[in-house]
Amino acid sequence: MTSTPHISVQNLNVHIANQHILKDISINIPNKKVTSIIGPSGCGKTTLLKSFNRLLDNTPDVKITGKVLVDGEDIYDPNAEITHIRKKMGLLSQRPYPLPMSIYDNVAYGPRIHGNPKKAELDELVETQLKATGLWNEVKDRLKAPASKLSIGQQQRLCLARGLAVEPEIILGDESTSALDPTSTHIIEDLFIELKEKYSIVLVTHILRQARRVSDYIIFVYMGKIIEFGPTEEVLLNPKQELTKEYVKGFIS
Amino acid sequence: MIKRKLEELFIKILMILATILVVGSFFLIVGTIFSKGLPYMTWDMITKIPGGGFYIGKEGGVLNAIIGSLYVAGGATVSGLIISIPVAIFINMYLSGKNFITDVLRTVFDVLFGIPSIVYGAFGFLIMVYFGLRASLLGGIIAVTLLVIPLLVRTLDEVIRTVPGELRDAALSLGSTRWETAKVVLRQIRPGIFTAILLSFGRGIGDVASVLFTAGFSDNIPTSLHEPAATLPLAIFFQLGSPVEEVQGRAYASALILTIVVLIITVLSEILIKKFSKHKI
């Protein structure tokens, strides 16, 4: 890794209801790259992703030990400001969940809670982010319409625009295309590639083709442990570990 | 094979009979109220308070009870909501993860919901005695508020639990505080809040036992919280007890009014539920 890592995980252990979900995870997520977390269902991919913005905190009976440094700051420090940590990261979930308000208000939500922007500033910001996600031309005439009226693919792009509007540094994607049709999936994947210019992106995916297409690095997780981490081509085409080999070939899923 | 078909047929007939029984009794009840109440349903009934000899069949109406009931049920629903919304939010958004405490709280509200309304009436009466209050609109509102709180909390709790966890995560991920997230959740459940209002209002306006000692009864429309207030169910009760045929008929007319009030509230909330459902994912 050449540049300094954006997220640095050190000896992270997560227990949920006495089950050891993540076992002694240490990993450095590179800056302004796309890193994909792959692995079979239930291996702890999503748990790892959600540990980055402390969404894990809301899980019942959860016990987290270890450190997660974002920009060198331990986010599990008791004094850490949780809203500040989350503001740094945009999350794109499996299915789009637009807030129960208009298209405009969805994008404006973040800027509004974090500050008191003027109407003109907001208008400009909403337009910028909707353009960044390629949604502007589709919705510019109905910004006041409920976000729930959009198609699923458009909703997911709206959720991305909503996340970008709070000016995060990192984008977390939790199987963000699994509910989308192939066309929308393609649009989102292209957006990820485009956005890594400005953001560090971490994606959880179970689609190896997608991991190969969009990511620079791959983390392979199995049974709560990191088995292999490296550049995409290396991990997928020339894996060092036996388990990775089997997973990539489709023997374990 | 024959056995399975017979079983299917038997169950089907059973279900049809049960449905007929329920729908039939509904129409029977409404029909009775209409046929017995309509002849006595005069304009005076809903525009005038009881006149001099109202209870022996002379002029007047039950406007006092209509207004009193709206005050009591409306006041109790509003104050119930003010208490229940924070409770439901607290259970779901601030205690999430603490399963033991939330389980205990939910059980408590289940038990409270099952307590008969006369107990709330008696309890409300005790509170009034303690504070030296007399039977009054305020007393009635307090007792009915106690009665509807468990219903409101349980309904709101169920509604909030239907909100997908991912929606909360979405709000939290944008850097919302828990309260800001709660506001998003409240927006999402607005249709559910109207359902809760409807249920609470319906229970509050129809209950006799809780207002029996607490609201008292008066032939006048209450002009302050400290005056006793008449309620429709009590008005029906008193009028039915009269030996005068005219007055008994007015009891059914009053029941008809009560039914229509509930019907209006139902239709109104259905409209509001529809109106606020446009954001539902």
Side-chain angles (χ1 to χ4, degrees):
Chain A
M1 230 68 55
T2 45
S3 60
T4 47
H6 205 156
I7 305 175
S8 177
V9 184
Q10 295 168 4
N11 309 102
L12 181 73
N13 278 284
V14 175
H15 291 81
I16 298 173
N18 292 324
Q19 264 189 306
H20 203 170
I21 306 290
L22 290 181
K23 298 166 187 159
D24 207 31
I25 301 279
S26 292
I27 191 98
N28 288 325
I29 306 282
N31 199 10
K32 299 212 168 51
K33 300 281 181 211
V34 179
T35 307
S36 288
I37 307 173
I38 61 167
S41 308
C43 71
K45 303 187 290 282
T46 300
T47 310
L48 181 59
L49 191 81
K50 285 191 173 173
S51 73
F52 294 162
N53 70 347
R54 288 190 56 178
L55 269 184
L56 263 190
D57 295 21
N58 299 331
T59 314
D61 296 320
V62 70
K63 212 183 94 203
I64 306 161
T65 59
K67 279 183 178 174
V68 176
L69 304 177
V70 176
D71 298 324
E73 186 191 354
D74 182 14
I75 62 166
Y76 284 99
D77 188 306
N79 296 321
E81 185 70 52
I82 193 157
T83 53
H84 177 69
I85 294 161
R86 291 192 179 131
K87 185 178 174 293
K88 280 189 182 178
M89 290 179 241
L91 176 78
L92 207 53
S93 55
Q94 278 191 19
R95 269 200 50 195
Y97 283 94
L99 303 174
M101 39 189 91
S102 71
I103 296 170
Y104 182 96
D105 289 339
N106 259 275
V107 184
Y109 180 83
R112 276 182 182 145
I113 59 169
H114 291 295
N116 208 353
K118 292 197 182 67
K119 175 89 174 69
E121 285 169 12
L122 263 185
D123 286 350
E124 199 191 311
L125 207 143
V126 169
E127 187 177 336
T128 312
Q129 299 308 348
L130 287 176
K131 275 180 176 160
T133 51
L135 208 55
W136 178 250
N137 284 329
E138 294 160 53
V139 301
K140 64 179 177 206
D141 302 322
R142 46 177 175 146
L143 290 172
K144 295 282 165 223
S148 54
K149 294 280 177 285
L150 295 173
S151 75
I152 295 282
Q154 288 173 323
Q155 284 182 18
Q156 192 64 307
R157 278 186 282 154
L158 179 69
C159 290
L160 187 57
R162 177 184 71 190
L164 295 179
V166 297
E167 294 169 344
E169 303 167 4
I170 301 165
I171 298 170
L172 306 174
D174 183 10
E175 295 183 26
S176 314
T177 60
S178 59
L180 307 184
D181 60 84
T183 318
S184 305
T185 301
H186 220 81
I187 297 175
I188 296 279
E189 286 178 356
D190 285 344
L191 278 171
F192 284 145
I193 297 172
E194 213 175 289
L195 289 168
K196 73 174 178 183
E197 296 277 322
K198 292 205 289 199
Y199 307 90
S200 304
I201 301 176
V202 188
L203 306 174
V204 162
T205 182
H206 57 257
I207 310 163
L208 291 178
R209 226 170 340 109
Q210 182 173 69
R212 187 162 177 198
R213 210 171 94 73
V214 300
S215 52
D216 304 298
Y217 293 93
I218 284 190
I219 303 171
F220 174 58
V221 182
Y222 188 70
M223 308 264 285
K225 281 186 195 148
I226 291 184
I227 306 297
E228 193 160 348
F229 170 56
T232 302
E233 298 286 303
E234 244 171 69
V235 175
L236 290 183
L237 300 180
N238 197 7
K240 293 187 187 70
Q241 304 293 326
E242 204 53 39
L243 275 168
T244 321
K245 227 173 267 175
E246 282 180 34
Y247 180 71
V248 172
K249 281 187 189 149
F251 290 139
I252 43 177
S253 60
Chain B
M1 277 319 275
I2 299 253
K3 187 177 162 282
R4 289 179 66 203
K5 276 198 178 149
L6 278 177
E7 197 178 306
E8 175 76 18
L9 188 72
F10 176 71
I11 294 293
K12 196 172 152 192
I13 290 172
L14 211 65
M15 288 190 283
I16 292 171
L17 283 178
T19 311
I20 289 174
L21 188 73
V22 172
V23 177
S25 29
F26 169 76
F27 280 109
L28 204 64
I29 293 168
V30 174
T32 310
I33 294 171
F34 264 89
S35 69
K36 287 201 149 193
L38 219 45
Y40 296 91
M41 193 61 192
T42 55
W43 195 240
D44 278 6
M45 277 298 280
I46 53 170
T47 55
K48 285 198 175 138
I49 60 171
F54 180 72
Y55 296 104
I56 50 167
K58 295 205 180 128
E59 88 247 36
V62 290
L63 184 64
N64 59 328
I66 298 173
I67 301 290
S69 267
L70 289 175
Y71 279 170
V72 170
T77 300
V78 171
S79 41
L81 270 180
I82 292 172
I83 299 167
S84 309
I85 290 179
V87 173
I89 289 280
F90 188 65
I91 291 178
N92 280 283
M93 314 271 307
Y94 287 78
L95 294 177
S96 62
K98 300 184 179 65
N99 286 339
F100 178 72
I101 305 175
T102 52
D103 283 355
V104 169
L105 280 172
R106 288 193 172 112
T107 311
V108 166
F109 282 105
D110 275 349
V111 173
L112 287 175
F113 180 62
I115 290 176
S117 57
I118 186 78
V119 178
Y120 286 103
F123 184 69
F125 185 64
L126 273 181
I127 296 178
M128 286 165 50
V129 171
Y130 184 80
F131 286 107
L133 292 170
R134 287 204 284 169
S136 61
L137 180 57
L138 180 65
I141 290 178
I142 291 174
V144 178
T145 303
L146 293 172
L147 175 74
V148 295
I149 281 175
L151 168 77
L152 281 170
V153 171
R154 276 315 250 149
T155 311
L156 292 170
D157 181 44
E158 289 298 331
V159 177
I160 293 177
R161 282 211 267 182
T162 63
V163 175
E166 289 89 341
L167 184 71
R168 283 187 226 177
D169 285 357
L172 288 172
S173 305
L174 293 167
S176 301
T177 59
R178 282 202 233 197
W179 169 234
E180 283 160 350
T181 309
K183 281 194 279 188
V184 171
V185 170
L186 284 175
R187 262 183 97 98
Q188 177 78 6
I189 63 159
R190 266 188 304 191
I193 293 179
F194 287 111
T195 310
I197 291 175
L198 168 66
L199 290 173
S200 155
F201 197 89
R203 182 150 197 220
I205 204 167
D207 196 70
V208 191
S210 56
V211 289
L212 191 56
F213 312 115
T214 53
F217 200 86
S218 161
D219 282 351
N220 295 312
I221 295 169
T223 50
S224 91
L225 282 170
H226 298 287
E227 284 173 33
T231 44
L232 275 169
L234 269 182
I236 295 167
F237 177 74
F238 289 145
Q239 293 175 104
L240 264 184
S242 160
V244 186
E245 199 195 11
E246 177 82 15
V247 180
Q248 279 185 19
R250 283 174 182 168
Y252 285 99
S254 308
L256 185 59
I257 295 169
L258 181 58
T259 313
I260 291 170
V261 169
V262 172
L263 190 76
I264 292 171
I265 299 292
T266 310
V267 171
L268 221 69
S269 18
E270 293 290 341
I271 293 170
L272 289 169
I273 289 169
K274 270 230 172 73
K275 184 175 180 304
F276 285 108
S277 292
K278 63 177 181 182
H279 287 301
K280 262 260 158 79
I281 313 166

